[in-house]
Amino acid sequence: MALETNRRTFLSFAALSVLGVVTAGSLAGCGTKGALNASAASASVLPKYIPLKGATPDLAGTAEGVPAAFFNYPAKPFRAVPAPFLKGQKITAITNIFGPPPTPAASNPAWQEINKRLGGTVDITAVSSDDYDTKLNTVIAGGDMPDLMLNDGAAIADIIGFLESACQDLTPFLAGDKSKDYPNLANIPQAFWKPAVQNGKLYGIPIPRGMTGGSGFINQTFFEAAGVTDTSTIKNADDYLALAKQLTGANRWALGSTKFGLIPFEHIFHVPYNWTMKSGKLVKDIETPEYLEMVSFVQKLYAAGCFAPGSEGWTKSQMSNAFISGQVAQIYDGLPAFGKPGGYQQTVPAANPANKVAAFIPFSATGGKATVWLDNIDFAWTMVKKGSADHIKQVLQVANFLAAPFGSEEYLLMNYGAEGTDYTRDGKGNPIPTPAAALNTAVPWKYLAAGPNTLYSPQFPDAIKVLHDAYSKLVPIGVPDPTVGLFSPTNAKQGLTIAKPVSDAVTNFIAGRGSLKDVKSAISTWKSAGGDTIRAEFQKALSGATASPSPSA
Amino acid sequence: MPRTRRKNRSVESARPAWMEKPSRLGITGKAVVVTLICVATIYPFLTVLSTSLSDSTDIANANGLVLFPLHPTFAAYETIFSGGIVTAALVRSMLITVIGTLCSLAATVGMAYGLSRRDLAFGKIILLTALFTMLFTPGIIPSFLMVKQLGLLGSYAALVLPTLISAFNLVVVRSFFMGLPQELFEAARIDGAGDFRILVKIVLPLSKGVLAVVGLFYAVAYWNAFFNAMLYLNSDQWPLSMILRQYVLLGSPLDTASVGEISAPSQAIQMAVVVISVIPILLVYPFLQKYFTKGVLTGAVKG
C-alpha cells in the first residue's frame, strides 16, 4: 500500500493533469481498479493508509477494498482509543436513523460507557432516513449547524458551494502522514476516502462499505440442477439465454426483479458505471452501444417468458419473497442482503432446506473478462463544520473513536452494547445479544463514522466464506464511476428528471410496449434536455480537479 | 279469486318499484353484491392482521400477504412493544393530543368569539389575516426559524403553538357563534354580564356540538402529526406516529446499490404497525363519525 501511495504522490507532483484525465477515462473504460486512483490531485489529499495491528482476520481483507472476515469475535478485544479526550466538551452531530430511536442515554448503559470513554458527550440529532434531506437543509438554513453532518449524496444541491463556505477542508489535518494522529481513520484504505474528495480537497470522513453492491443472487440449487455450478464460466449471452429458458417452467421463472433488475445484465454487457471516458470525452452509460445491446438482450429474455409475470413492478419485499419461496431463480439485490440477520443465507434454506443461495458472479456476454460496478464504496461520508484547528482536532478524535475497527472494545460497545445488559459471550467469545440490545444499540454511531467493513457471522460461517469469496472475485473486476466526487449543478437539479423518460422507454421496450427506436429517441432527448450540459459540467469539474493539485500534497 | 288477484296486482303495480316485494333472484343478487363488498372491505383487514401474526417463512410462501396464519406468533408485537419505546411514545402522543386539543380549542373559541362580535375594532382585518394563512401557508424554513427564535426547539410546545389555531376551524366556530340569536347577548348585557361571562355562561353551553366537531378535528390532527415532530424534536421525544412510521419505512424499497443496507424487518412488523395505528381510530371513530359530518356541513352552509 505504501508503494501505491508513493506512486500517487509522484503523479501529483508531476502534475500530469492532462494525462490524469486520459488515464481516468481509459482505465474506467477498461474496468480496472486503477481508475480509482486516476486523479492525481485526489490521491494527493488522501490520508495515508496505515493498517492497524488489531485482530487477525480468518480471511484477510485487501487494500483495494475486499473486507476482512471473522468467524468469531476476538476473545480479547483490544482498546483502540487509549484514554478519554473530550475534556467534558460536547460535540454535536446529525445523521440518519433507520429504525426506532434508541433507548435514551440516561437509561442506556452502553451509551453512558461510550460517553465515559469519550470524556464528554456527542449530541446526535437522529433523523429518519426519509426526512434527512428536509431536516438537514432546514438546520443549515437555521444557521446553527452541528459539528458532524452526514452527507448522503442527495441532501444538498450546491454541495461544492456549501462545502467551501461552511465545511472544514480536512486536507491539512488528514492528508498523507498526518493521518497517523488518528490511527483508526488511517486504518481505512484510501479507496474509501476518494468519494469525500470534492473540488480537489478532502471534505469528509467515509463510512466504508464493500466497494461493490455485487450482481445479485442465484438459487444455487436450481442452477446446479441446470448444470451450472459457477456462473462466471457461462460462455456468452446465448448460453445464458438457453440456461434461463431451462430454469423457467412449472410455476417457476429464471428471473424476477424490480424494474427487470437490469444491473447484472449491465455488468454482463460491460455497460460503464454511470459515465466512462472515451477519447478524452465523458460518455454516459445510456449512450454506449453496450447499453442498447444489453436492453435488446433483456427483451429477448422477456419475450422468451423468463421473467415472472409482472415482476418489473414488484416491490423489494415482493421480490425477496419470490426468491425465498423459490418462485424465481435469480434476483438483483445488494450483497449485504445475504449475510445480515434474516438475510437470504438464512431465509432461503428456512423456506426450503434443499435450496442454497450464492452470489451471482457475472460472465462476459461476448466472452473474455467480466465486469462489475464499484457502486457501494461508502455508505456516505460525514462533513465537519468549520472551526478552530483545536476544535477540528477534537471532532476528528471523535470520528477516530467511532472508526474503531472490528475486534476492538469500542466496536463491541457501539455495535453490541454493554456486556451483561446487552450481550453475553459464548464459549468462543462471540457476543450473544439480549432482548434489550436492539434498542440500546440503535444509537446511530455507525452512520457518523466507521472502520473498514468486516464480514462476521458466528452462526453462519459458510455464509461468510461465500461472501468473502464473492467480494474477492468482484472487487478486482470493479469499474468505477469517473464522476464520483465531481459536482454538476444541472445533474443535481434535473439529472433524475431527464433520465426518467429513458428508463420508461427501456421498460416499455422490454415489456413489448415500445420499440428500440423509442429508446434511442429518448436517449437523444436526454442529451438535448440537459445531458450534454451535465457532461460539460462534469468534464469541466474533472479537468479542474486534476489541473490544480492541492498544495498540501 | 281471479278478480282479487288482478286487483292485488294492480295495487302492487301502483307502488313504487322499491316497495315491491323483492323476487328471489333480486334477493340473491343483492346478497351476492353485499357479500362481495363485505369481502372486499374485510379482506385487506384480515390479511393485515393475519400477516402481522405470521412468521417470515409463512409470509414468504404466501408471497407477502397471508390470509390465515399457519404458525401464529406474536413475535412482531413483542418486537414493537419491547424496550418501552412504543409505550412511552404512546403516552407522549396522548398527552400531546389532549393538551394540544384543549389549548387549540381555548384559543380558537376565544378568537372566534371576538371576531363574531360586529363591533370589534379591526375585526375584519384580523379575520382576513387569519384567512390569509389558509391560502398561503408558511414554508418549512421560515417556520423552523420562528420556532428556533422562540426557543422552542426540542420542546413539545413546538408541536402545539405553531398550529394552535386552524383558520378553517376558526371560521367554523365563528360562523356558529354568529348564528346564535343576538337577543340572548343583548339580554345578558342588560343583566350586566361582560363578554367573558357571556362566552362561558351562554355561548359555550349552546355550542357543545360545534366544539365537539372542532375538538375532533384538532385531536385527529395532533394524533397524526409527525412532520413537526421530525423537524423540531429529538428522536427521544418522538410521538407514536413518528415511531410507527420508522417501522414502516424500514421496508421501503431502495433502488440504490446499497439495497440491503438496512436490516429490513419482516412484513409481520409492518403489518403489526398498521394494526396498532388503526386500533385507536377504529375504537373512537364510529362514535364520533356523526360529528365529522356535522362539522363539514356547518362549514359548508355558513359563511
Side-chain angles (χ1 to χ4, degrees), chain A residues 213-478:
Chain A
S215 205
F217 299 101
I218 57 165
N219 186 316
Q220 200 175 4
T221 309
F222 296 169
F223 273 68
E224 281 176 2
V228 176
T229 50
D230 180 357
T231 51
S232 66
T233 60
I234 296 171
K235 285 182 185 147
N236 52 44
D238 289 339
D239 280 10
Y240 180 82
L241 180 61
L243 172 68
K245 286 178 183 170
Q246 203 181 333
L247 288 166
T248 302
N251 204 31
R252 194 182 79 191
W253 290 268
L255 298 154
S257 291
T258 312
K259 294 178 184 173
F260 293 116
L262 293 181
I263 291 177
F265 300 105
E266 296 187 75
H267 295 161
I268 292 167
F269 279 85
H270 304 270
V271 176
Y273 177 32
N274 202 10
W275 293 87
T276 187
M277 283 292 250
K278 283 188 179 167
S279 310
K281 188 187 165 194
L282 278 171
V283 178
K284 179 78 173 145
D285 53 357
I286 54 175
E287 297 177 290
T288 59
E290 290 88 351
Y291 186 79
L292 293 178
E293 284 170 27
M294 179 275 297
V295 169
S296 301
F297 179 70
V298 177
Q299 209 288 321
K300 267 191 205 171
L301 285 165
Y302 183 85
C306 298
F307 279 93
S311 56
E312 70 271 23
W314 278 351
T315 61
K316 183 177 179 285
S317 297
Q318 285 175 303
M319 178 186 78
S320 299
N321 287 330
F323 185 62
I324 291 166
S325 65
Q327 196 185 348
V328 296
Q330 181 178 346
I331 57 163
Y332 173 67
D333 201 345
L335 276 178
F338 181 77
K340 68 182 184 181
Y344 294 124
Q345 46 84 18
Q346 213 176 333
T347 49
V348 172
N352 183 347
N355 288 343
K356 287 183 293 181
V357 192
F360 175 70
I361 308 296
F363 59 93
S364 170
T366 51
K369 199 177 169 189
T371 57
V372 74
W373 292 347
L374 295 180
D375 52 5
N376 197 22
I377 299 173
D378 293 329
F379 163 73
W381 46 275
T382 302
M383 307 171 286
V384 178
K385 185 177 77 168
K386 271 184 180 168
S388 67
D390 285 346
H391 185 67
I392 297 299
K393 283 177 186 169
Q394 289 281 51
V395 174
L396 287 177
Q397 287 295 352
V398 171
N400 181 61
F401 182 97
L402 301 180
F406 184 89
S408 65
E409 292 176 8
E410 292 82 356
Y411 184 95
L412 255 183
L413 258 178
M414 289 184 284
N415 291 278
Y416 293 92
E419 189 164 5
T421 314
D422 301 318
Y423 68 87
T424 53
R425 299 260 228 150
D426 68 8
K428 292 177 179 170
N430 296 302
I432 311 296
T434 65
L439 291 174
N440 284 352
T441 58
V443 187
W445 305 111
K446 61 185 170 189
Y447 297 116
L448 282 170
N453 204 24
T454 309
L455 305 173
Y456 167 65
S457 177
Q459 300 95 328
F460 304 101
D462 288 343
I464 294 305
K465 284 180 197 161
V466 169
L467 265 183
H468 190 269
D469 183 51
Y471 278 115
S472 301
K473 286 176 181 165
L474 295 172
V475 172
I477 59 169

Side-chain angles (χ1 to χ4, degrees), chain B residues 191-302:
Chain B
D191 287 345
D195 277 320
F196 186 73
R197 177 164 285 205
I198 292 173
L199 175 65
V200 173
K201 296 283 183 187
I202 297 173
V203 175
L204 291 185
L206 291 172
S207 310
K208 282 176 189 163
V210 78
L211 293 181
V213 171
V214 170
L216 197 62
F217 283 160
Y218 277 126
V220 171
Y222 280 121
W223 181 262
N224 288 333
F226 71 89
F227 192 77
N228 283 355
M230 181 277 290
L231 219 50
Y232 305 136
L233 298 185
N234 294 323
S235 57
D236 57 348
Q237 299 173 303
W238 282 349
L240 187 67
S241 51
M242 272 300 285
I243 306 274
L244 295 185
R245 186 168 167 266
Q246 280 298 97
Y247 279 108
V248 174
L249 285 179
L250 281 175
S252 61
L254 304 172
D255 54 1
T256 62
S258 61
V259 64
E261 164 73 33
I262 304 152
S263 181
S266 67
Q267 270 165 287
I269 290 181
Q270 291 179 43
M271 294 304 166
V273 165
V274 175
V275 172
I276 293 166
S277 55
V278 160
I279 282 175
I281 297 293
L282 276 184
L283 289 177
V284 173
Y285 198 81
F287 303 102
L288 299 176
Q289 194 181 7
K290 60 180 179 181
Y291 292 116
F292 264 105
T293 319
K294 198 173 174 181
V296 172
L297 287 177
T298 305
V301 176
K302 294 167 186 172

